[in-house]
Amino acid sequence: MADGAGVLGYLDVDRSLSGRLWRARPADPALVRSHQMALGLDEPMARALAARGVTAEAAASYLQPTLKALFPDPSSFADMDKAAAVLVDALVADKAVVVFADYDVDGASSAALLVRWFAAMGKRLTIYVPDRVTEGYGPSPAAFRRLREEGADLVVTVDCGAAAVDAIACAAEIGLDVVVVDHHLMRDEVPVCAALVNPNRPDCGSGQGVLAAAGVTFVLLAALNREARARGLFAQRPEPDLRQWLDLAAMGAVCDVTQLVGFNRALTAQGLKVMSAWANPGLKALLETAGSKGPATTFHAGFVLGPRINAGGRIGRSDLGARLLSTDDADEARKIALELDALNASRREVEAEVLEAAVRILERESNFADQPLLLVAADDWHPGVIGIVAGRLRERYRKPTLVVGIDRAADVGKGSGRSQPGVNLGRAVQSAFEAGLLLAGGGHAMAAGLSVRPSSLPELREFLCAHLSDESSAAAESDALEIDALITAAGADRGLLESFQRLAPFGPGNPEPLFALAEARVERPMMLRGGHVRCTLTDRSGGRLKAVAWRAEETEVGRRLMGGGGAVHVVGRLKADDWNGRRGVELEIDDIADPRRKNV
């Protein structure tokens, strides 16, 4: 291997067919040498480790992350001890406790964690998940009144509630205790309730702001064990072994696209190991229904299981995901898994229709390419798919994107957004709310949600574009593929893949390694159903490497693969190819550059 760095960019690519600069992922040479000597790594692997900001002191635990070394003190979270005390009080007093969960994977995983801990302590919790269409996101005064009327003494909100000031005030008026467990960005106002645990609340000193709600909930379980132990509650029953539920914490971390660094990385890595046993009946049933198998990876969590769990909250029954992850009944799990799988198929159809319509609207707007943010809206787009469509558009146009579905009868638009690295969309949406342009809004750096009057959309677009102009310009200038190593078709084998797999799990904060092939020839290109392109790459090494470009049919990359025309430089990620028992690899193509052209 070589570093492949050229005068203009990696392999002299300053603009690829997708319009991006290629560059070597930057790494401190001294730190690279330190990793080589201390850990016995080869140069490319040591460089990849250094390029991810891993210090010499942290390198060993990074390659083998453990909860023992990285688990935070629960008491470092604001209100964590208070929340544990309130919940154990409710357990001892046998109060009626309801878990109020968001309708996505993180909410379902968080709810299942609490349900399972209380079940181990002999108490059954009720799950309540609001309907995305009729109730919207998070707690509302109406929902809290309904739960109180039905006999609830305590509500625990998970993956929501931190911004529900009006709902929590209503709960206080009607005598309903509330504990909030959340991770979303907060304004300065902290709702007054029994306890509010959120590493992103202004006064929390835990330093764990990257956690998903499921990660926060898992730490809460540790606090619950500690509180119950102090009260002698384990004298007659075994202490719940929290490790058995790490798979649920990993599901939340991966599917909420959190930064996989520090404790969150260890939580995910260990959670995937637990998941690989497929002991959770719901996850096992969903895996089998999807026709997948094997040890759990971030791919299983994020692309096989996650979309199916989410399908219930998007276009079906919002509580299906939480019920699936909470049940120990294999028959019930299979029934729910089949229902979620069918809903996911329907979701894909609805998503494709909305995506096609959104692209048509954007392509009609001649100036959209110059805007720092894309905002596209239309009547009757299903609120359950607009977030996915926003993500697809962001991938396609490489800009922060908001998609709004308008309900004319209610005179409201529900929007969901996805952002580019370096552009804090959640903060911008919060600013728009504070400026009076939104009915509701919030989120985090890479994703946001909002409600808006349709008449305010032009002003909202103008506000967000102005607010994000500088960030988006800087992000566009730095929009580059950062490459870890130059390889050959002959050298791309299972050994290389498994060496770099020591860096897993991959996600934000720990990007999956990218490899480049120089002057590769494309052989036997084939268009697959769904717009994917499959081919074989060959180069001067004499090797042959199977490759695929997903959803590439209408892109410059896809057209170049199908059209032939000489050797190309290729960048992609290596994946295992175990079809029919083989232990090979294939390359998932991210980008292509023509070595004969500059400033493509």
Side-chain angles (χ1 to χ4, degrees):
M1 297 184 192
D3 66 10
V7 175
L8 299 174
Y10 204 97
L11 296 173
D12 287 347
V13 176
D14 59 350
R15 279 296 177 265
S16 67
L17 292 185
S18 69
R20 285 179 284 180
L21 169 71
W22 292 4
R23 65 187 179 206
R25 202 180 299 279
D28 177 6
L31 185 56
V32 174
R33 290 192 294 273
S34 172
H35 289 332
Q36 285 182 271
M37 296 176 64
L39 302 173
L41 303 176
D42 59 24
E43 195 274 345
M45 180 64 179
R47 176 176 293 276
L49 194 62
R52 283 155 179 77
V54 181
T55 64
E57 296 75 19
S61 63
Y62 193 89
L63 293 177
Q64 293 183 313
T66 65
L67 293 177
K68 182 178 181 180
L70 297 167
F71 205 100
D73 178 2
S75 298
S76 66
F77 290 73
D79 274 7
M80 182 68 83
D81 292 338
K82 187 187 296 185
V86 170
L87 289 172
V88 174
D89 283 345
L91 171 69
V92 172
D94 196 25
K95 291 184 178 180
V97 181
V98 176
V99 181
F100 189 113
D102 189 18
Y103 31 60
D104 66 0
V105 175
D106 194 22
S109 299
S110 302
L113 283 167
L114 276 177
V115 167
R116 288 183 174 279
W117 188 87
F118 273 89
M121 298 297 290
K123 182 172 179 59
R124 180 180 179 274
L125 300 190
T126 301
I127 297 174
Y128 184 90
V129 184
D131 182 271
R132 184 188 292 262
V133 176
T134 61
E135 297 181 81
Y137 169 81
S140 66
F144 277 173
R145 289 192 187 96
R146 173 182 169 185
L147 292 174
R148 184 61 172 150
E149 290 169 0
E150 292 175 352
D153 299 310
L154 170 66
V155 170
V156 186
T157 72
V158 290
D159 196 28
C160 59
V165 177
D166 292 343
I168 291 174
C170 172
E173 292 174 2
I174 61 177
L176 179 64
D177 288 334
V178 176
V179 169
V180 174
V181 183
D182 204 348
H183 72 122
H184 290 96
L185 297 177
M186 291 182 63
R187 305 178 184 94
D188 291 336
E189 183 180 10
V190 177
V192 178
C193 54
L196 193 154
V197 182
N198 183 343
N200 286 306
R201 64 180 278 178
D203 58 342
C204 184
S206 67
Q208 298 295 331
V210 302
L211 290 177
V216 181
T217 305
F218 192 83
V219 177
L220 174 59
L221 299 194
L224 288 171
N225 267 5
R226 187 170 65 183
E227 179 71 16
R229 190 184 312 121
R231 298 194 194 189
L233 299 187
F234 300 134
Q236 302 298 324
R237 69 169 69 246
E239 181 172 330
D241 184 353
L242 306 185
R243 293 172 297 180
Q244 65 185 307
W245 303 320
L246 279 165
D247 50 1
L248 297 172
M251 284 296 301
V254 173
C255 295
D256 231 49
V257 200
T258 59
Q259 293 276 319
L260 299 185
V261 296
F263 166 60
N264 200 37
R265 172 177 165 79
L267 196 67
T268 305
Q270 298 304 319
L272 290 172
K273 291 179 181 178
V274 171
M275 194 186 302
S276 294
W278 302 110
N280 182 293
L283 291 177
K284 181 181 180 182
L286 201 56
L287 184 80
E288 292 172 348
T289 301
S292 188
K293 60 182 179 180
T297 63
T298 52
F299 175 80
H300 286 96
F303 295 96
V304 178
L305 304 172
R308 287 169 169 80
I309 294 171
N310 273 333
R314 293 192 185 281
I315 62 173
R317 291 170 48 198
S318 58
D319 65 345
L320 287 176
R323 287 176 51 208
L324 178 82
L325 300 180
S326 301
T327 187
D328 284 322
D329 184 325
D331 290 335
E332 181 185 20
R334 280 191 292 272
K335 181 179 178 181
I336 297 175
L338 287 169
E339 188 172 355
L340 287 172
D341 191 61
L343 286 170
N344 191 52
S346 299
R347 185 271 306 168
R348 284 197 295 264
E349 295 176 2
V350 176
E351 174 198 330
E353 293 173 0
V354 174
L355 177 61
E356 182 179 353
V359 169
R360 285 199 304 268
I361 293 171
L362 287 172
E363 299 291 357
R364 283 202 310 264
E365 297 182 11
S366 59
N367 66 333
F368 87 87
D370 299 324
Q371 297 175 352
L373 169 134
L374 303 180
L375 191 159
V376 59
D379 292 354
D380 301 323
W381 281 349
H382 198 295
V385 302
I386 55 175
I388 304 175
V389 172
R392 298 280 189 239
L393 295 173
R394 186 210 63 81
E395 291 174 6
R396 181 167 182 153
Y397 298 113
R398 308 202 63 73
K399 289 176 178 287
T401 303
L402 273 168
V403 178
V404 180
I406 299 172
D407 182 342
R408 291 293 175 186
D411 190 33
V412 66
K414 296 291 182 68
S416 186
R418 299 294 182 268
S419 193
Q420 283 285 91
V423 183
N424 193 324
L425 183 59
R427 185 168 57 201
V429 167
Q430 281 191 9
S431 296
F433 175 80
E434 291 163 2
L437 296 175
L438 300 175
L439 302 173
H444 47 79
M446 296 300 291
L450 57 83
S451 296
V452 60
R453 294 295 181 203
S455 59
S456 299
L457 284 171
E459 189 178 357
L460 175 64
R461 183 200 304 264
E462 183 178 352
F463 177 92
L464 291 175
C465 284
H467 195 88
L468 295 173
S469 178
D470 291 342
E471 283 185 30
S472 292
S473 296
E477 289 180 7
S478 62
D479 183 19
L481 279 179
E482 295 192 330
I483 298 163
D484 289 281
L486 183 67
I487 62 174
T488 65
D493 58 17
R494 197 60 172 243
L496 176 66
L497 172 65
E498 291 175 353
S499 172
F500 277 85
Q501 281 295 312
R502 295 179 65 190
L503 296 171
F506 302 117
N510 181 37
E512 191 168 359
L514 282 177
F515 301 98
L517 276 76
E519 297 186 353
R521 293 195 173 274
V522 180
E523 297 183 354
R524 295 184 294 177
M526 179 186 306
M527 186 67 67
L528 305 178
R529 184 178 180 182
H532 315 308
V533 179
R534 187 171 290 284
C535 63
T536 299
L537 301 175
T538 63
D539 61 11
R540 293 174 183 173
S541 71
R544 302 174 66 82
L545 179 60
K546 293 170 62 177
V548 62
W550 303 115
R551 296 189 298 274
E553 182 176 13
E554 297 182 3
T555 69
E556 288 297 324
V557 168
R559 285 189 279 270
R560 182 64 175 80
L561 288 172
M562 293 300 298
V568 291
H569 300 324
V570 182
V571 168
R573 291 161 289 182
L574 285 177
K575 299 289 186 178
D577 176 18
D578 294 329
W579 181 254
N580 282 341
R582 69 169 66 95
R583 283 181 50 80
V585 297
E586 71 173 5
L587 187 77
E588 290 188 352
I589 296 173
D590 276 72
D591 205 359
I592 284 177
D594 190 330
R596 300 168 301 177
R597 299 168 62 189
K598 304 298 180 185
N599 297 308
V600 176

